């Protein structure tokens, strides 16, 4: 059986769009590994849902996060929050509207959104706001969850680990915070030169990606609910974990050098790279 590598020997990923074997991966922007085991198939090309200037969007707004909660898509910008019913076509600008009075908070580049315990949560500059569909609480994190104020001017990415008692994770500079009714507001402190900013939940562990501005390598941390320190720390080939996800319970990361790295049980190893991969970054 022949094996075709992507990128090829000339580090190209553009191919003639000829079936599963020669699909145009760049044109599709993604690949499908699950439909036909053993075959890499091209996924559907992405459709643009919103852009700055569309419909009700405030000119100059920057989109920070999108999530699904209670039958609606919620799109969080730096100036406003928008919603669209999941039964409507999200590519039609008229189907989106501003959400209540959620644009008057401390929304910014730190903001993220997630669904947790029946609430839409949106992270702010130093707190987390909750929204139940009719009522908001700008200080949910510090008043209801009894957490301490978040650090200003760093990403406050959020993710929920659904195993057992749902647990909310929040990135906060060199701190990883997690909260549930039993763990309350646990804080895990990382090296001061690392900034936590992305998550990948697995069956019973949360993987946390970081970036560093001065160290040679960023790290991925393995965190288990109930512990007040990370179980392990693994270096990646790059200073930034651009994004991360789990596939069949294995964490994978994409670094700023253009490498796709997978966890092999002992560390992160390169399994693929983009055509713009650059060791000099």
């Amino acid at each position: 059986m022949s094996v075709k590598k992507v990128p090829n020997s000339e580090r190209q990923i553009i191919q003639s769009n000829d079936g599963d074997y020669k699909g145009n991966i760049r044109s599709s922007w993604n690949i499908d590994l699950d439909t036909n085991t053993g075959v890499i198939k091209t996924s559907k090309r992405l459709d643009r849902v919103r852009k700055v200037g569309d419909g009700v969007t405030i000119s100059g707004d920057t989109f920070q996060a999108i999530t699904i909660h209670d039958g609606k898509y919620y799109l969080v910008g730096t100036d406003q929050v928008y919603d669209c019913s999941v039964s409507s076509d999200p590519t039609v600008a008229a189907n989106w509207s501003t959400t209540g009075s959620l644009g008057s908070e401390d929304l910014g580049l730190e903001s993220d959104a997630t669904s947790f315990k029946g609430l839409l949560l949106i992270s702010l500059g130093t707190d987390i706001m909750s929204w139940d569909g009719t009522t908001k609480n700008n200080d949910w994190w510090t008043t209801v969850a009894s957490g301490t104020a978040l650090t200003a001017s760093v990403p406050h990415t959020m993710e929920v680990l659904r195993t057992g008692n749902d647990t909310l994770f929040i990135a906060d500079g060199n701190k990883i915070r997690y909260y549930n009714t039993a763990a309350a507001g646990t804080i895990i402190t990382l090296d001061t030169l690392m900034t936590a900013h992305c998550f990948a939940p697995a069956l019973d562990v949360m993987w946390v990606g970081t970036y560093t501005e001065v160290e040679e390598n960023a790290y991925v941390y393995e965190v288990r609910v109930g512990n007040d320190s990370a179980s392990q720390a693994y270096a990646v080939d790059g200073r930034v974990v651009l994004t991360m996800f789990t596939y069949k319970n294995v964490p994978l990361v994409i670094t700023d050098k253009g490498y796709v790295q997978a966890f092999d049980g002992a560390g992160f190893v390169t399994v693929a790279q983009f055509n713009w991969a650059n060791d000099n970054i």
Side-chain angles (χ1 to χ4, degrees):
M1 181 182 73
S2 64
V3 176
K4 189 165 183 71
K5 295 184 177 180
V6 179
N8 61 21
S9 59
E10 297 177 356
R11 302 175 71 84
Q12 297 173 331
I13 62 174
I14 285 291
Q15 308 170 67
S16 59
N17 198 14
D18 182 17
D20 296 342
Y21 182 63
K22 293 184 178 181
N24 193 327
I25 292 178
R26 175 166 285 182
S27 178
S28 70
W29 294 99
N30 213 330
I31 56 176
D32 175 1
L33 301 174
D34 298 311
T35 301
N36 190 351
T37 303
V39 175
I40 297 178
K41 299 181 64 177
T42 55
S43 296
K44 294 180 179 179
R45 187 180 179 91
L46 297 178
D47 290 327
R48 185 174 66 193
V49 174
R50 300 301 306 278
K51 66 179 176 63
V52 172
D54 270 352
V56 297
T57 308
I58 300 173
S59 178
D61 206 358
T62 300
F63 298 144
Q64 290 295 108
I66 187 167
T67 192
I68 297 176
H69 171 75
D70 196 24
K72 290 184 177 181
Y73 302 107
Y74 283 92
L75 183 60
V76 178
T78 53
D79 294 325
Q80 198 46 274
V81 179
Y82 314 95
D83 64 76
C84 171
S85 170
V86 295
S87 61
S88 300
D89 184 352
T91 65
V92 177
N95 290 335
W96 290 84
S97 58
T98 54
T99 307
S101 57
L102 301 189
S104 58
E105 294 72 30
D106 187 19
L107 296 172
L109 297 178
E110 308 98 330
S111 297
D112 191 23
T114 192
S115 180
F116 179 70
K117 299 290 187 182
L119 298 171
L120 173 69
L121 298 183
I122 299 174
S123 52
L124 307 175
T126 58
D127 216 309
I128 298 175
M129 172 182 65
S130 69
W131 171 253
D132 64 5
T134 56
T135 305
K136 67 175 181 177
N137 183 344
N138 292 342
D139 306 315
W140 176 87
W141 174 247
T142 52
T143 58
V144 178
S146 299
T148 55
L150 303 179
T151 305
S153 303
V154 295
H156 295 146
T157 312
M158 299 184 293
E159 184 60 84
V160 178
L161 184 63
R162 302 292 181 184
T163 302
N165 190 359
D166 285 3
T167 302
L168 173 68
F169 279 76
I170 308 113
D172 187 31
N174 72 317
K175 298 180 177 62
I176 304 166
R177 299 172 181 255
Y178 68 84
Y179 167 83
N180 61 39
T181 52
T186 301
I187 299 176
I188 295 175
T189 302
L190 310 178
D191 187 300
T192 56
L193 301 179
M194 296 293 154
T195 299
H197 77 115
C198 57
F199 299 104
L203 289 179
D204 59 353
V205 63
M206 184 67 82
W207 298 92
V208 184
T210 64
Y211 67 84
T212 178
E213 297 180 2
V214 294
E215 289 292 289
E216 193 67 27
N217 301 93
Y219 281 79
V220 171
Y221 293 85
E222 179 183 354
V223 176
R224 297 182 182 275
V225 175
N227 296 344
D228 57 7
S229 61
S231 301
Q232 297 288 347
Y234 303 96
V236 299
D237 194 355
R239 291 183 173 179
V240 183
V241 177
L242 295 178
T243 188
M244 62 192 311
F245 57 95
T246 53
Y247 176 70
K248 295 185 177 179
N249 208 41
V250 175
L252 292 96
V253 303
I254 299 176
T255 74
D256 59 325
K257 288 186 176 182
Y259 296 123
V260 181
Q261 297 195 294
F263 185 65
D264 68 355
F268 283 84
V269 296
T270 299
V271 295
Q273 65 186 54
F274 289 94
N275 63 329
W276 47 267
N278 185 353
D279 275 326
N280 297 320
I281 293 179

